[in-house]
mmCIF file of all heavy atoms in Angstrom:
data_model
loop_
_atom_site.group_PDB
_atom_site.id
_atom_site.type_symbol
_atom_site.label_atom_id
_atom_site.label_comp_id
_atom_site.label_asym_id
_atom_site.label_seq_id
_atom_site.Cartn_x
_atom_site.Cartn_y
_atom_site.Cartn_z
ATOM 1 N N SER A 752 120.743 106.720 114.796
ATOM 2 C CA SER A 752 119.816 105.717 114.939
ATOM 3 C C SER A 752 120.010 104.928 116.227
ATOM 4 O O SER A 752 121.008 104.907 116.846
ATOM 5 C CB SER A 752 119.999 104.663 113.760
ATOM 6 O OG SER A 752 121.171 103.953 113.904
ATOM 7 N N ASP A 787 100.733 98.800 123.586
ATOM 8 C CA ASP A 787 100.715 97.818 122.537
ATOM 9 C C ASP A 787 101.702 98.179 121.481
ATOM 10 O O ASP A 787 101.777 97.539 120.394
ATOM 11 C CB ASP A 787 99.375 97.587 121.920
ATOM 12 C CG ASP A 787 98.739 98.905 121.404
ATOM 13 O OD1 ASP A 787 99.075 99.953 121.970
ATOM 14 O OD2 ASP A 787 97.890 98.830 120.445
ATOM 15 N N VAL A 801 116.303 101.568 105.953
ATOM 16 C CA VAL A 801 116.308 100.206 105.356
ATOM 17 C C VAL A 801 117.134 99.195 106.140
ATOM 18 O O VAL A 801 116.743 98.093 106.386
ATOM 19 C CB VAL A 801 116.846 100.239 103.830
ATOM 20 C CG1 VAL A 801 117.026 98.900 103.337
ATOM 21 C CG2 VAL A 801 115.866 101.097 103.027
ATOM 22 N N ARG A 805 115.701 96.003 108.236
ATOM 23 C CA ARG A 805 116.170 94.645 107.922
ATOM 24 C C ARG A 805 116.722 93.938 109.212
ATOM 25 O O ARG A 805 116.655 92.768 109.341
ATOM 26 C CB ARG A 805 117.205 94.721 106.856
ATOM 27 C CG ARG A 805 116.464 94.919 105.469
ATOM 28 C CD ARG A 805 117.476 95.112 104.377
ATOM 29 N NE ARG A 805 116.695 95.251 103.084
ATOM 30 C CZ ARG A 805 117.232 95.667 101.949
ATOM 31 N NH1 ARG A 805 118.542 96.027 101.918
ATOM 32 N NH2 ARG A 805 116.476 95.857 100.848
ATOM 33 N N GLN A 825 112.532 106.070 97.872
ATOM 34 C CA GLN A 825 113.379 105.006 97.509
ATOM 35 C C GLN A 825 113.490 103.999 98.642
ATOM 36 O O GLN A 825 113.551 102.768 98.415
ATOM 37 C CB GLN A 825 114.881 105.564 97.185
ATOM 38 C CG GLN A 825 115.815 104.494 96.639
ATOM 39 C CD GLN A 825 117.141 104.981 96.193
ATOM 40 O OE1 GLN A 825 117.340 106.255 96.214
ATOM 41 N NE2 GLN A 825 118.094 104.130 96.032
ATOM 42 N N ALA A 828 110.505 101.823 98.489
ATOM 43 C CA ALA A 828 110.610 100.913 97.353
ATOM 44 C C ALA A 828 111.511 99.813 97.748
ATOM 45 O O ALA A 828 111.257 98.589 97.406
ATOM 46 C CB ALA A 828 110.998 101.596 96.125
ATOM 47 N N LEU A 830 112.214 98.596 100.704
ATOM 48 C CA LEU A 830 111.627 97.706 101.702
ATOM 49 C C LEU A 830 110.584 96.890 101.087
ATOM 50 O O LEU A 830 110.340 95.660 101.391
ATOM 51 C CB LEU A 830 111.058 98.562 102.870
ATOM 52 C CG LEU A 830 112.081 99.278 103.797
ATOM 53 C CD1 LEU A 830 111.399 100.218 104.751
ATOM 54 C CD2 LEU A 830 112.882 98.179 104.549
ATOM 55 N N ALA A 836 108.037 92.608 104.111
ATOM 56 C CA ALA A 836 108.162 94.114 104.227
ATOM 57 C C ALA A 836 107.180 94.705 105.174
ATOM 58 O O ALA A 836 106.031 94.292 105.368
ATOM 59 C CB ALA A 836 107.882 94.701 102.778
ATOM 60 N N VAL A 841 103.768 107.222 105.503
ATOM 61 C CA VAL A 841 104.634 108.400 105.041
ATOM 62 C C VAL A 841 104.237 109.614 105.860
ATOM 63 O O VAL A 841 103.085 109.852 106.094
ATOM 64 C CB VAL A 841 104.407 108.682 103.500
ATOM 65 C CG1 VAL A 841 105.184 109.890 103.108
ATOM 66 C CG2 VAL A 841 104.887 107.430 102.706
ATOM 67 N N THR A 844 104.554 117.267 105.314
ATOM 68 C CA THR A 844 104.099 118.606 105.990
ATOM 69 C C THR A 844 102.935 119.121 105.229
ATOM 70 O O THR A 844 102.239 120.008 105.838
ATOM 71 C CB THR A 844 105.276 119.659 105.896
ATOM 72 O OG1 THR A 844 105.735 119.704 104.540
ATOM 73 C CG2 THR A 844 106.416 119.226 106.756
ATOM 74 N N GLU A 849 103.500 115.753 95.796
ATOM 75 C CA GLU A 849 103.874 114.758 94.695
ATOM 76 C C GLU A 849 104.654 113.614 95.237
ATOM 77 O O GLU A 849 104.562 112.517 94.790
ATOM 78 C CB GLU A 849 104.540 115.499 93.564
ATOM 79 C CG GLU A 849 104.847 114.614 92.402
ATOM 80 C CD GLU A 849 105.361 115.391 91.157
ATOM 81 O OE1 GLU A 849 105.622 116.633 91.322
ATOM 82 O OE2 GLU A 849 105.537 114.774 90.149
ATOM 83 N N VAL A 851 104.526 112.266 98.045
ATOM 84 C CA VAL A 851 103.705 111.359 98.823
ATOM 85 C C VAL A 851 103.054 110.360 97.779
ATOM 86 O O VAL A 851 103.032 109.143 98.012
ATOM 87 C CB VAL A 851 102.635 112.014 99.649
ATOM 88 C CG1 VAL A 851 101.647 110.995 100.248
ATOM 89 C CG2 VAL A 851 103.281 112.842 100.713
ATOM 90 N N GLY A 858 104.709 101.664 97.420
ATOM 91 C CA GLY A 858 104.351 100.587 98.305
ATOM 92 C C GLY A 858 103.892 101.071 99.701
ATOM 93 O O GLY A 858 103.540 100.256 100.519
ATOM 94 N N PHE A 862 99.445 107.904 104.339
ATOM 95 C CA PHE A 862 100.315 109.015 104.847
ATOM 96 C C PHE A 862 99.652 109.748 105.882
ATOM 97 O O PHE A 862 98.454 109.734 106.119
ATOM 98 C CB PHE A 862 100.661 109.871 103.613
ATOM 99 C CG PHE A 862 99.567 110.803 103.200
ATOM 100 C CD1 PHE A 862 99.499 112.178 103.621
ATOM 101 C CD2 PHE A 862 98.540 110.342 102.293
ATOM 102 C CE1 PHE A 862 98.442 112.916 103.251
ATOM 103 C CE2 PHE A 862 97.566 111.208 101.848
ATOM 104 C CZ PHE A 862 97.494 112.528 102.327
ATOM 105 N N LYS A 865 102.371 115.885 109.350
ATOM 106 C CA LYS A 865 103.251 115.918 110.522
ATOM 107 C C LYS A 865 102.504 116.640 111.724
ATOM 108 O O LYS A 865 102.995 116.450 112.861
ATOM 109 C CB LYS A 865 104.529 116.629 110.221
ATOM 110 C CG LYS A 865 105.506 115.725 109.396
ATOM 111 C CD LYS A 865 106.873 116.286 109.299
ATOM 112 C CE LYS A 865 107.827 115.289 108.642
ATOM 113 N NZ LYS A 865 109.205 115.785 108.675
ATOM 114 N N THR A 868 97.396 114.594 115.184
ATOM 115 C CA THR A 868 97.237 114.497 116.717
ATOM 116 C C THR A 868 97.650 113.187 117.118
ATOM 117 O O THR A 868 97.866 112.260 116.336
ATOM 118 C CB THR A 868 95.678 114.616 117.078
ATOM 119 O OG1 THR A 868 95.001 113.429 116.461
ATOM 120 C CG2 THR A 868 95.008 115.855 116.515
ATOM 121 N N LEU A 894 94.625 112.807 96.318
ATOM 122 C CA LEU A 894 96.010 112.940 96.009
ATOM 123 C C LEU A 894 96.416 111.942 94.908
ATOM 124 O O LEU A 894 97.074 112.359 93.888
ATOM 125 C CB LEU A 894 96.884 112.698 97.200
ATOM 126 C CG LEU A 894 98.433 112.783 97.000
ATOM 127 C CD1 LEU A 894 98.993 113.415 98.216
ATOM 128 C CD2 LEU A 894 99.035 111.341 96.775
ATOM 129 N N ARG A 923 87.075 98.915 90.742
ATOM 130 C CA ARG A 923 86.639 100.245 90.356
ATOM 131 C C ARG A 923 86.008 100.987 91.434
ATOM 132 O O ARG A 923 86.259 102.145 91.708
ATOM 133 C CB ARG A 923 85.713 100.132 89.147
ATOM 134 C CG ARG A 923 85.305 101.515 88.508
ATOM 135 C CD ARG A 923 84.338 101.325 87.373
ATOM 136 N NE ARG A 923 84.984 100.718 86.170
ATOM 137 C CZ ARG A 923 84.721 99.464 85.797
ATOM 138 N NH1 ARG A 923 83.936 98.678 86.501
ATOM 139 N NH2 ARG A 923 85.405 98.977 84.758
ATOM 140 N N PRO A 932 81.311 97.942 103.789
ATOM 141 C CA PRO A 932 79.884 98.014 103.908
ATOM 142 C C PRO A 932 79.241 98.693 102.659
ATOM 143 O O PRO A 932 78.111 98.220 102.224
ATOM 144 C CB PRO A 932 79.632 98.813 105.191
ATOM 145 C CG PRO A 932 80.852 98.560 106.008
ATOM 146 C CD PRO A 932 81.955 98.557 104.994
ATOM 147 N N ARG A 937 76.213 98.321 97.552
ATOM 148 C CA ARG A 937 76.234 98.549 96.119
ATOM 149 C C ARG A 937 76.160 97.391 95.280
ATOM 150 O O ARG A 937 75.457 97.312 94.238
ATOM 151 C CB ARG A 937 77.515 99.398 95.659
ATOM 152 C CG ARG A 937 77.624 99.729 94.225
ATOM 153 C CD ARG A 937 76.734 100.911 93.824
ATOM 154 N NE ARG A 937 77.144 102.110 94.490
ATOM 155 C CZ ARG A 937 78.104 102.946 93.978
ATOM 156 N NH1 ARG A 937 78.615 102.671 92.766
ATOM 157 N NH2 ARG A 937 78.367 104.086 94.655
ATOM 158 N N LEU A 938 76.821 96.251 95.677
ATOM 159 C CA LEU A 938 76.817 95.050 94.946
ATOM 160 C C LEU A 938 75.807 94.079 95.385
ATOM 161 O O LEU A 938 75.600 92.945 94.784
ATOM 162 C CB LEU A 938 78.208 94.387 95.058
ATOM 163 C CG LEU A 938 79.328 95.209 94.556
ATOM 164 C CD1 LEU A 938 80.671 94.544 94.902
ATOM 165 C CD2 LEU A 938 79.331 95.382 93.018
ATOM 166 N N THR A 947 86.220 88.712 100.467
ATOM 167 C CA THR A 947 86.794 87.697 99.585
ATOM 168 C C THR A 947 87.193 88.145 98.315
ATOM 169 O O THR A 947 88.340 87.816 97.808
ATOM 170 C CB THR A 947 85.774 86.555 99.446
ATOM 171 O OG1 THR A 947 85.437 85.944 100.738
ATOM 172 C CG2 THR A 947 86.356 85.502 98.508
ATOM 173 N N GLY A 957 99.113 90.947 92.965
ATOM 174 C CA GLY A 957 100.355 91.060 93.713
ATOM 175 C C GLY A 957 100.474 92.310 94.556
ATOM 176 O O GLY A 957 101.599 92.864 94.730
ATOM 177 N N ALA A 964 95.830 98.980 95.472
ATOM 178 C CA ALA A 964 94.831 98.757 94.502
ATOM 179 C C ALA A 964 94.275 99.995 93.885
ATOM 180 O O ALA A 964 93.978 100.041 92.663
ATOM 181 C CB ALA A 964 93.697 97.967 95.171
ATOM 182 N N VAL A 974 90.208 103.568 86.179
ATOM 183 C CA VAL A 974 89.500 104.740 86.664
ATOM 184 C C VAL A 974 90.197 106.016 86.099
ATOM 185 O O VAL A 974 91.463 106.104 86.228
ATOM 186 C CB VAL A 974 89.506 104.732 88.230
ATOM 187 C CG1 VAL A 974 88.791 106.030 88.694
ATOM 188 C CG2 VAL A 974 88.806 103.498 88.742
ATOM 189 N N ARG A 977 88.951 112.727 87.544
ATOM 190 C CA ARG A 977 88.030 113.759 87.059
ATOM 191 C C ARG A 977 88.849 114.990 86.754
ATOM 192 O O ARG A 977 89.778 115.348 87.459
ATOM 193 C CB ARG A 977 86.993 114.143 88.075
ATOM 194 C CG ARG A 977 86.017 112.922 88.371
ATOM 195 C CD ARG A 977 85.037 113.326 89.418
ATOM 196 N NE ARG A 977 84.081 112.331 89.621
ATOM 197 C CZ ARG A 977 84.218 111.283 90.562
ATOM 198 N NH1 ARG A 977 85.351 111.197 91.222
ATOM 199 N NH2 ARG A 977 83.346 110.332 90.703
#
Side-chain angles (χ1 to χ4, degrees):
S752 70
D787 57 331
V801 172
R805 286 175 176 164
Q825 188 177 350
L830 291 172
V841 175
T844 52
E849 183 173 6
V851 174
F862 76 96
K865 285 193 173 183
T868 65
L894 180 143
R923 186 181 292 107
R937 180 76 66 89
L938 298 172
T947 298
V974 177
R977 296 181 177 86

